[in-house]
Amino acid sequence: RMSDLEGFGGFRKSFQANLADWKRYYDAKEPQKIKLPEPWHSKLSDFRKMTVLRCIRPDKVVQAITNFVEEKLGRHFIEPPPFNIATCYQDSTPIMPLIFVLSPGADPMAAL
């Protein structure tokens, strides 16, 4: 349980005592961008706040991780590199062909 992890002592009792605040957090459209109810917002690191989010709103964890990486490491680490078909073609050989895996809705003709 999260409340058994280091840094989360007393979380369960605090959660039970402040259900209205936690309901607002749960009901928020973007809970990964708002403050946790106190004392947890000021007590926990950004990484540990994602642990709380994982327990309460697991559907928002991917966006929270993206925000975390962007904030700590920079936007460069969340944006895919630009695709250059000419460079990829130069890297291919007759025994090492290019293989494209397309996503639904992808339009490969736009790159040609």
Side-chain angles (χ1 to χ4, degrees):
R1 291 191 168 148
M2 185 185 76
S3 59
D4 296 333
L5 297 174
E6 182 181 327
F8 293 100
F11 183 85
R12 190 179 333 170
K13 287 182 182 179
S14 174
F15 186 92
Q16 292 171 338
N18 298 296
L19 287 177
D21 292 337
W22 287 106
K23 182 168 179 5
R24 278 192 290 279
Y25 180 78
Y26 175 83
D27 289 338
K29 186 175 182 178
E30 295 182 315
Q32 73 276 10
K33 293 184 178 181
I34 66 172
K35 292 181 177 183
L36 293 175
E38 289 297 343
W40 303 103
H41 180 74
S42 55
K43 186 177 180 179
L44 298 176
S45 68
D46 290 341
F47 186 80
R48 287 186 173 165
K49 289 174 188 173
M50 287 190 295
T51 305
V52 174
L53 182 67
R54 167 65 179 86
C55 292
I56 297 172
R57 288 290 302 272
D59 60 312
K60 298 296 183 176
V61 172
V62 171
Q63 185 60 47
I65 292 171
T66 300
N67 295 345
F68 180 82
V69 170
E70 181 179 9
E71 181 182 312
K72 302 295 182 188
L73 301 176
R75 188 148 189 84
H76 171 75
F77 289 93
I78 62 167
E79 293 179 344
F83 177 71
N84 186 329
I85 196 163
T87 304
C88 289
Y89 181 75
Q90 290 172 352
D91 289 341
S92 68
T93 66
I95 59 171
M96 191 172 57
L98 297 176
I99 298 173
F100 293 93
V101 179
L102 300 178
S103 300
D107 181 12
M109 297 306 288
L112 298 177

